[in-house]
Amino acid sequence: MREDGSLWVTEIFPTIQGEGPFAGVPATFVRLGGCNLACTFCDTEFEAGNTDMSVDAMLDAIMRVRRSAGPELVVLTGGEPLRQNVVPLLVELTQRGHHVQIETAGTLWDERLEVLVGLNRVSLVVSPKTGKVNPAVERLASAYKYIVRLGEASPDDGLPVYSTQVPGKELELARPPQHLVAKQQVYLQPCDEHDGAEGLTGTNLGEAIRIAAQFGYRVCLQTHKLMGLP
Ligand code: SF4
């Protein structure tokens, strides 16, 4: 962690947030380099072409690429954004009126984030990739999101039972707190791999729809891809 808040950045770009509770909202994405996990299905480029950027350089880049004149949504994603010292950037962004969504797998935590989340200036969207997440992340998360693949749902709650790290191994991924289930803030995103089937039967999408209807979750598609956006 660097004291000055400079970060290892893969890319900064404007788009429409396509997934989760902010789906449809114009946003600037800051993709940070590196991850502490190695998921078998990961298709995110978080190692190539990274550059070190100071907080000022990141703020300049965000102001340059964003589409709107006023404050907007900034999404910190990765990789795993919480493996770096993101607090100085978050403080500057939130002081300028931006709301920041952090997309995290939930294994890492910086206690300085608690104030920003408590002030409702930062939202945590957790996509568990392990059997447990950090207790503070679980307590403060505003939504949970799961990648759904056919045949890997628990019969008890419909949520995934598979190791994201070891192919073929069963593992119950960390479950959402009950208050998020009650608020329907659990999102099911069908895995974006070819199903080899026509229609919904036998597909990851069909499975996500079935589970959402049975257990009261939400189906979440990567709508930015439908829009042809990054
Ligand atoms: S946690 Fe996310 S970014 Fe990291 S390896 Fe897994 S899918 Fe990729």
Side-chain angles (χ1 to χ4, degrees):
M1 291 249 189
R2 296 182 189 138
E3 287 293 315
D4 64 358
S6 60
L7 299 173
W8 201 36
V9 180
T10 306
E11 55 182 341
I12 296 176
F13 58 94
T15 185
I16 302 290
Q17 169 59 291
E19 311 167 4
F22 292 95
V25 178
T28 301
F29 268 56
V30 179
R31 185 179 304 288
L32 299 182
C35 188
N36 59 322
L37 301 176
C39 302
T40 54
F41 52 79
C42 185
D43 61 357
T44 307
E45 287 289 338
F46 55 75
E47 297 289 357
N50 290 320
T51 50
D52 282 321
M53 295 182 77
S54 67
V55 172
D56 284 345
M58 286 183 277
L59 292 171
D60 284 349
I62 292 166
M63 296 308 132
R64 208 168 45 243
V65 303
R66 73 198 178 108
R67 294 198 177 98
S68 60
E72 68 170 27
L73 180 66
V74 176
V75 179
L76 279 197
T77 188
E80 172 51 69
L82 295 186
R83 64 185 285 281
Q84 301 192 66
N85 179 16
V86 297
V87 171
L89 177 63
L90 292 178
V91 168
E92 294 294 333
L93 286 170
T94 56
Q95 281 180 351
R96 287 165 169 76
H98 301 286
H99 189 86
V100 181
Q101 179 200 334
I102 299 177
E103 296 184 336
T104 176
T107 57
L108 304 174
W109 182 244
D110 181 331
E111 61 188 21
R112 295 174 298 166
L113 289 165
E114 178 134 9
V115 174
L116 292 167
V117 177
L119 291 171
N120 203 25
R121 292 178 180 164
V122 171
S123 299
L124 294 174
V125 175
V126 183
S127 184
K129 303 292 191 304
T130 51
K132 286 187 178 157
V133 299
N134 185 289
V137 172
E138 179 181 319
R139 180 167 46 84
L140 296 168
S142 54
Y144 270 50
K145 187 175 72 174
Y146 294 90
I147 308 295
V148 169
R149 298 189 303 191
L150 196 62
E152 294 176 328
S154 162
D156 299 328
D157 62 7
L159 297 177
V161 181
Y162 67 84
S163 169
T164 63
Q165 315 292 303
V166 182
K169 183 180 171 190
E170 286 196 0
L171 175 73
E172 188 171 275
L173 298 182
R175 276 13 194 184
Q178 274 310 306
H179 72 274
L180 292 184
V181 178
K183 287 197 283 187
Q184 286 196 308
Q185 287 304 309
V186 178
Y187 294 79
L188 304 181
Q189 184 176 305
C191 188
D192 193 20
E193 65 189 20
H194 182 59
D195 288 306
E198 297 293 326
L200 293 177
T201 306
T203 67
N204 295 332
L205 174 57
E207 179 77 337
I209 292 170
R210 179 190 71 76
I211 297 167
Q214 182 176 350
F215 293 98
Y217 308 138
R218 298 187 190 206
V219 176
C220 158
L221 301 180
Q222 294 182 296
T223 55
H224 57 290
K225 292 186 178 175
L226 302 176
M227 293 180 244
L229 295 171

